[in-house]
Amino acid sequence: MRDKQMNIPSYNIEANHLPLEKFRKMDYLAVERYHLPVELMMENAGLHLARLVVNFLPGRGKILIGIGPGNNGGGGLVAARRLAAWGFQVHLDIPVRNLNELAGVQLERALATGVSSDPLTDPHLFVDAYLGFSQRLPLPETVQRSVETSKAFSCPKISLDIPTGFNKNTGNTLFTPGHILTLAAMKTELLSLSGKAEFFLADLGIPEAMYDLFGISQPYPFRDSGLLKCIF
């Protein structure tokens, strides 16, 4: 069925989730076995993130995206570029400036599209794309300061995949968004946040056979929509 307020199909997660360490392996094998470039999956993640943002801002508004130095930040930059191309006013907060090569390329593309590198203090929507599933605690001080600032925003907040400051062992998190867009598969550790945040799931283009290899099912609605709302 489709969400009554959003044009996004719903999908019942049930037991169809994967621990973070197994997802790391799935992500690695998608590249090694199926030759899916990281940049391609990044583009898919960023496009679905941008589509999700539009569901919260049906008009054109001001968006602040927190960008980290790795691939999660790269996905946020793809979303920034897409949103700017659609006429939104997009700003970036980049607390760690030594971006990896791919994120650096995405930053150049985003800025060329009209994205601003100057942070906002009054966004209509905030996206946390700082660190993702590769983050390690404790957080860098610059990132922690940015997260503390964003917690005070009185607007919708979306985390891309794993909220920044999430402790996979305890389920506690420094940043608690209202919405989480997790990538390819629901992460088992995030189930602890299911009563605190609304979850969405994005298709990265990983083949069904890879899901079978890890003992879970590829979400069947992916064939109709690459963006799903999770039901528990």
Side-chain angles (χ1 to χ4, degrees), residues 78-98:
V78 171
R81 167 166 45 88
R82 290 282 190 165
L83 289 161
W86 296 339
F88 289 87
Q89 181 181 336
V90 185
H91 292 250
L92 306 175
D93 173 47
I94 312 177
V96 179
R97 288 285 171 172
N98 57 329

PDB file of all heavy atoms in Angstrom, residues 78-98:
ATOM      1  N   VAL A  78      25.309  14.168  -3.434  1.00  0.00           N
ATOM      2  CA  VAL A  78      24.477  13.844  -4.592  1.00  0.00           C
ATOM      3  C   VAL A  78      23.071  14.403  -4.387  1.00  0.00           C
ATOM      4  O   VAL A  78      22.485  15.016  -5.287  1.00  0.00           O
ATOM      5  CB  VAL A  78      24.416  12.324  -4.820  1.00  0.00           C
ATOM      6  CG1 VAL A  78      23.371  11.979  -5.889  1.00  0.00           C
ATOM      7  CG2 VAL A  78      25.776  11.780  -5.234  1.00  0.00           C
ATOM      8  N   ALA A  79      22.519  14.199  -3.185  1.00  0.00           N
ATOM      9  CA  ALA A  79      21.187  14.733  -2.878  1.00  0.00           C
ATOM     10  C   ALA A  79      21.175  16.252  -2.985  1.00  0.00           C
ATOM     11  O   ALA A  79      20.231  16.845  -3.518  1.00  0.00           O
ATOM     12  CB  ALA A  79      20.757  14.295  -1.480  1.00  0.00           C
ATOM     13  N   ALA A  80      22.232  16.895  -2.491  1.00  0.00           N
ATOM     14  CA  ALA A  80      22.323  18.355  -2.571  1.00  0.00           C
ATOM     15  C   ALA A  80      22.285  18.823  -4.014  1.00  0.00           C
ATOM     16  O   ALA A  80      21.575  19.781  -4.360  1.00  0.00           O
ATOM     17  CB  ALA A  80      23.613  18.822  -1.891  1.00  0.00           C
ATOM     18  N   ARG A  81      23.057  18.163  -4.874  1.00  0.00           N
ATOM     19  CA  ARG A  81      23.082  18.524  -6.293  1.00  0.00           C
ATOM     20  C   ARG A  81      21.718  18.347  -6.943  1.00  0.00           C
ATOM     21  O   ARG A  81      21.238  19.205  -7.691  1.00  0.00           O
ATOM     22  CB  ARG A  81      24.127  17.665  -7.023  1.00  0.00           C
ATOM     23  CG  ARG A  81      24.027  17.734  -8.529  1.00  0.00           C
ATOM     24  CD  ARG A  81      25.260  17.151  -9.214  1.00  0.00           C
ATOM     25  NE  ARG A  81      25.707  15.900  -8.668  1.00  0.00           N
ATOM     26  CZ  ARG A  81      25.263  14.694  -9.066  1.00  0.00           C
ATOM     27  NH1 ARG A  81      24.316  14.602  -9.986  1.00  0.00           N
ATOM     28  NH2 ARG A  81      25.763  13.604  -8.538  1.00  0.00           N
ATOM     29  N   ARG A  82      21.067  17.222  -6.643  1.00  0.00           N
ATOM     30  CA  ARG A  82      19.740  16.956  -7.200  1.00  0.00           C
ATOM     31  C   ARG A  82      18.724  18.004  -6.744  1.00  0.00           C
ATOM     32  O   ARG A  82      17.936  18.522  -7.552  1.00  0.00           O
ATOM     33  CB  ARG A  82      19.279  15.564  -6.773  1.00  0.00           C
ATOM     34  CG  ARG A  82      20.038  14.422  -7.413  1.00  0.00           C
ATOM     35  CD  ARG A  82      19.569  14.194  -8.829  1.00  0.00           C
ATOM     36  NE  ARG A  82      20.107  12.974  -9.396  1.00  0.00           N
ATOM     37  CZ  ARG A  82      19.635  12.407 -10.485  1.00  0.00           C
ATOM     38  NH1 ARG A  82      18.615  12.938 -11.136  1.00  0.00           N
ATOM     39  NH2 ARG A  82      20.193  11.304 -10.963  1.00  0.00           N
ATOM     40  N   LEU A  83      18.737  18.302  -5.475  1.00  0.00           N
ATOM     41  CA  LEU A  83      17.770  19.248  -4.921  1.00  0.00           C
ATOM     42  C   LEU A  83      17.987  20.652  -5.470  1.00  0.00           C
ATOM     43  O   LEU A  83      17.031  21.372  -5.777  1.00  0.00           O
ATOM     44  CB  LEU A  83      17.850  19.238  -3.394  1.00  0.00           C
ATOM     45  CG  LEU A  83      17.303  17.958  -2.735  1.00  0.00           C
ATOM     46  CD1 LEU A  83      17.831  17.826  -1.311  1.00  0.00           C
ATOM     47  CD2 LEU A  83      15.782  17.945  -2.755  1.00  0.00           C
ATOM     48  N   ALA A  84      19.246  21.044  -5.608  1.00  0.00           N
ATOM     49  CA  ALA A  84      19.539  22.356  -6.184  1.00  0.00           C
ATOM     50  C   ALA A  84      19.062  22.417  -7.627  1.00  0.00           C
ATOM     51  O   ALA A  84      18.522  23.436  -8.083  1.00  0.00           O
ATOM     52  CB  ALA A  84      21.031  22.649  -6.098  1.00  0.00           C
ATOM     53  N   ALA A  85      19.249  21.319  -8.355  1.00  0.00           N
ATOM     54  CA  ALA A  85      18.803  21.275  -9.748  1.00  0.00           C
ATOM     55  C   ALA A  85      17.291  21.364  -9.864  1.00  0.00           C
ATOM     56  O   ALA A  85      16.763  21.801 -10.894  1.00  0.00           O
ATOM     57  CB  ALA A  85      19.301  19.990 -10.408  1.00  0.00           C
ATOM     58  N   TRP A  86      16.586  20.964  -8.791  1.00  0.00           N
ATOM     59  CA  TRP A  86      15.126  21.032  -8.782  1.00  0.00           C
ATOM     60  C   TRP A  86      14.610  22.370  -8.241  1.00  0.00           C
ATOM     61  O   TRP A  86      13.414  22.550  -8.088  1.00  0.00           O
ATOM     62  CB  TRP A  86      14.550  19.891  -7.941  1.00  0.00           C
ATOM     63  CG  TRP A  86      14.843  18.529  -8.505  1.00  0.00           C
ATOM     64  CD1 TRP A  86      15.174  18.210  -9.791  1.00  0.00           C
ATOM     65  CD2 TRP A  86      14.853  17.288  -7.774  1.00  0.00           C
ATOM     66  NE1 TRP A  86      15.380  16.860  -9.917  1.00  0.00           N
ATOM     67  CE2 TRP A  86      15.190  16.264  -8.712  1.00  0.00           C
ATOM     68  CE3 TRP A  86      14.609  16.942  -6.449  1.00  0.00           C
ATOM     69  CZ2 TRP A  86      15.290  14.920  -8.336  1.00  0.00           C
ATOM     70  CZ3 TRP A  86      14.706  15.602  -6.078  1.00  0.00           C
ATOM     71  CH2 TRP A  86      15.038  14.603  -7.017  1.00  0.00           C
ATOM     72  N   GLY A  87      15.514  23.275  -7.920  1.00  0.00           N
ATOM     73  CA  GLY A  87      15.109  24.612  -7.516  1.00  0.00           C
ATOM     74  C   GLY A  87      15.113  24.897  -6.034  1.00  0.00           C
ATOM     75  O   GLY A  87      14.691  25.974  -5.605  1.00  0.00           O
ATOM     76  N   PHE A  88      15.604  23.967  -5.217  1.00  0.00           N
ATOM     77  CA  PHE A  88      15.684  24.204  -3.782  1.00  0.00           C
ATOM     78  C   PHE A  88      16.939  24.998  -3.434  1.00  0.00           C
ATOM     79  O   PHE A  88      17.946  24.933  -4.152  1.00  0.00           O
ATOM     80  CB  PHE A  88      15.694  22.876  -3.018  1.00  0.00           C
ATOM     81  CG  PHE A  88      14.382  22.150  -3.036  1.00  0.00           C
ATOM     82  CD1 PHE A  88      14.067  21.284  -4.069  1.00  0.00           C
ATOM     83  CD2 PHE A  88      13.452  22.338  -2.024  1.00  0.00           C
ATOM     84  CE1 PHE A  88      12.852  20.612  -4.102  1.00  0.00           C
ATOM     85  CE2 PHE A  88      12.237  21.673  -2.044  1.00  0.00           C
ATOM     86  CZ  PHE A  88      11.934  20.813  -3.080  1.00  0.00           C
ATOM     87  N   GLN A  89      16.872  25.712  -2.325  1.00  0.00           N
ATOM     88  CA  GLN A  89      18.026  26.443  -1.801  1.00  0.00           C
ATOM     89  C   GLN A  89      18.768  25.498  -0.862  1.00  0.00           C
ATOM     90  O   GLN A  89      18.291  25.202   0.235  1.00  0.00           O
ATOM     91  CB  GLN A  89      17.578  27.704  -1.063  1.00  0.00           C
ATOM     92  CG  GLN A  89      18.726  28.537  -0.513  1.00  0.00           C
ATOM     93  CD  GLN A  89      18.229  29.770   0.223  1.00  0.00           C
ATOM     94  OE1 GLN A  89      17.124  30.252  -0.013  1.00  0.00           O
ATOM     95  NE2 GLN A  89      19.036  30.265   1.143  1.00  0.00           N
ATOM     96  N   VAL A  90      19.928  25.020  -1.278  1.00  0.00           N
ATOM     97  CA  VAL A  90      20.646  23.989  -0.532  1.00  0.00           C
ATOM     98  C   VAL A  90      21.965  24.540  -0.006  1.00  0.00           C
ATOM     99  O   VAL A  90      22.748  25.139  -0.750  1.00  0.00           O
ATOM    100  CB  VAL A  90      20.919  22.749  -1.412  1.00  0.00           C
ATOM    101  CG1 VAL A  90      21.548  21.639  -0.584  1.00  0.00           C
ATOM    102  CG2 VAL A  90      19.627  22.260  -2.078  1.00  0.00           C
ATOM    103  N   HIS A  91      22.196  24.311   1.283  1.00  0.00           N
ATOM    104  CA  HIS A  91      23.432  24.735   1.941  1.00  0.00           C
ATOM    105  C   HIS A  91      24.110  23.519   2.573  1.00  0.00           C
ATOM    106  O   HIS A  91      23.453  22.526   2.896  1.00  0.00           O
ATOM    107  CB  HIS A  91      23.129  25.775   3.023  1.00  0.00           C
ATOM    108  CG  HIS A  91      22.643  27.082   2.475  1.00  0.00           C
ATOM    109  ND1 HIS A  91      23.392  28.232   2.516  1.00  0.00           N
ATOM    110  CD2 HIS A  91      21.479  27.414   1.862  1.00  0.00           C
ATOM    111  CE1 HIS A  91      22.720  29.220   1.965  1.00  0.00           C
ATOM    112  NE2 HIS A  91      21.549  28.754   1.562  1.00  0.00           N
ATOM    113  N   LEU A  92      25.403  23.618   2.770  1.00  0.00           N
ATOM    114  CA  LEU A  92      26.189  22.525   3.328  1.00  0.00           C
ATOM    115  C   LEU A  92      26.873  22.927   4.626  1.00  0.00           C
ATOM    116  O   LEU A  92      27.321  24.064   4.774  1.00  0.00           O
ATOM    117  CB  LEU A  92      27.267  22.075   2.337  1.00  0.00           C
ATOM    118  CG  LEU A  92      26.817  21.684   0.927  1.00  0.00           C
ATOM    119  CD1 LEU A  92      28.039  21.387   0.066  1.00  0.00           C
ATOM    120  CD2 LEU A  92      25.863  20.503   0.965  1.00  0.00           C
ATOM    121  N   ASP A  93      26.956  21.966   5.541  1.00  0.00           N
ATOM    122  CA  ASP A  93      27.821  22.102   6.712  1.00  0.00           C
ATOM    123  C   ASP A  93      28.872  21.007   6.588  1.00  0.00           C
ATOM    124  O   ASP A  93      28.542  19.816   6.571  1.00  0.00           O
ATOM    125  CB  ASP A  93      27.020  21.928   8.004  1.00  0.00           C
ATOM    126  CG  ASP A  93      27.934  21.901   9.225  1.00  0.00           C
ATOM    127  OD1 ASP A  93      28.812  22.774   9.320  1.00  0.00           O
ATOM    128  OD2 ASP A  93      27.770  20.997  10.085  1.00  0.00           O
ATOM    129  N   ILE A  94      30.139  21.396   6.466  1.00  0.00           N
ATOM    130  CA  ILE A  94      31.224  20.429   6.251  1.00  0.00           C
ATOM    131  C   ILE A  94      32.253  20.608   7.376  1.00  0.00           C
ATOM    132  O   ILE A  94      33.242  21.332   7.225  1.00  0.00           O
ATOM    133  CB  ILE A  94      31.892  20.633   4.876  1.00  0.00           C
ATOM    134  CG1 ILE A  94      30.819  20.741   3.771  1.00  0.00           C
ATOM    135  CG2 ILE A  94      32.846  19.485   4.574  1.00  0.00           C
ATOM    136  CD1 ILE A  94      31.389  21.019   2.394  1.00  0.00           C
ATOM    137  N   PRO A  95      32.049  19.938   8.513  1.00  0.00           N
ATOM    138  CA  PRO A  95      32.947  20.147   9.651  1.00  0.00           C
ATOM    139  C   PRO A  95      34.332  19.537   9.482  1.00  0.00           C
ATOM    140  O   PRO A  95      35.287  19.971  10.123  1.00  0.00           O
ATOM    141  CB  PRO A  95      32.194  19.486  10.819  1.00  0.00           C
ATOM    142  CG  PRO A  95      31.296  18.492  10.175  1.00  0.00           C
ATOM    143  CD  PRO A  95      30.907  19.076   8.856  1.00  0.00           C
ATOM    144  N   VAL A  96      34.453  18.504   8.640  1.00  0.00           N
ATOM    145  CA  VAL A  96      35.751  17.881   8.360  1.00  0.00           C
ATOM    146  C   VAL A  96      36.042  18.098   6.880  1.00  0.00           C
ATOM    147  O   VAL A  96      35.332  17.589   6.018  1.00  0.00           O
ATOM    148  CB  VAL A  96      35.733  16.378   8.691  1.00  0.00           C
ATOM    149  CG1 VAL A  96      37.089  15.752   8.354  1.00  0.00           C
ATOM    150  CG2 VAL A  96      35.391  16.149  10.156  1.00  0.00           C
ATOM    151  N   ARG A  97      37.076  18.858   6.580  1.00  0.00           N
ATOM    152  CA  ARG A  97      37.293  19.306   5.200  1.00  0.00           C
ATOM    153  C   ARG A  97      38.092  18.343   4.334  1.00  0.00           C
ATOM    154  O   ARG A  97      38.121  18.486   3.118  1.00  0.00           O
ATOM    155  CB  ARG A  97      38.007  20.669   5.221  1.00  0.00           C
ATOM    156  CG  ARG A  97      37.097  21.805   5.666  1.00  0.00           C
ATOM    157  CD  ARG A  97      36.140  22.178   4.558  1.00  0.00           C
ATOM    158  NE  ARG A  97      35.101  23.114   4.988  1.00  0.00           N
ATOM    159  CZ  ARG A  97      34.255  23.703   4.156  1.00  0.00           C
ATOM    160  NH1 ARG A  97      34.334  23.453   2.853  1.00  0.00           N
ATOM    161  NH2 ARG A  97      33.327  24.516   4.598  1.00  0.00           N
ATOM    162  N   ASN A  98      38.756  17.368   4.918  1.00  0.00           N
ATOM    163  CA  ASN A  98      39.572  16.448   4.107  1.00  0.00           C
ATOM    164  C   ASN A  98      38.696  15.316   3.575  1.00  0.00           C
ATOM    165  O   ASN A  98      38.761  14.177   4.020  1.00  0.00           O
ATOM    166  CB  ASN A  98      40.756  15.900   4.911  1.00  0.00           C
ATOM    167  CG  ASN A  98      40.326  15.198   6.187  1.00  0.00           C
ATOM    168  OD1 ASN A  98      39.324  15.553   6.798  1.00  0.00           O
ATOM    169  ND2 ASN A  98      41.095  14.198   6.595  1.00  0.00           N
TER     170      ASN A  98
END
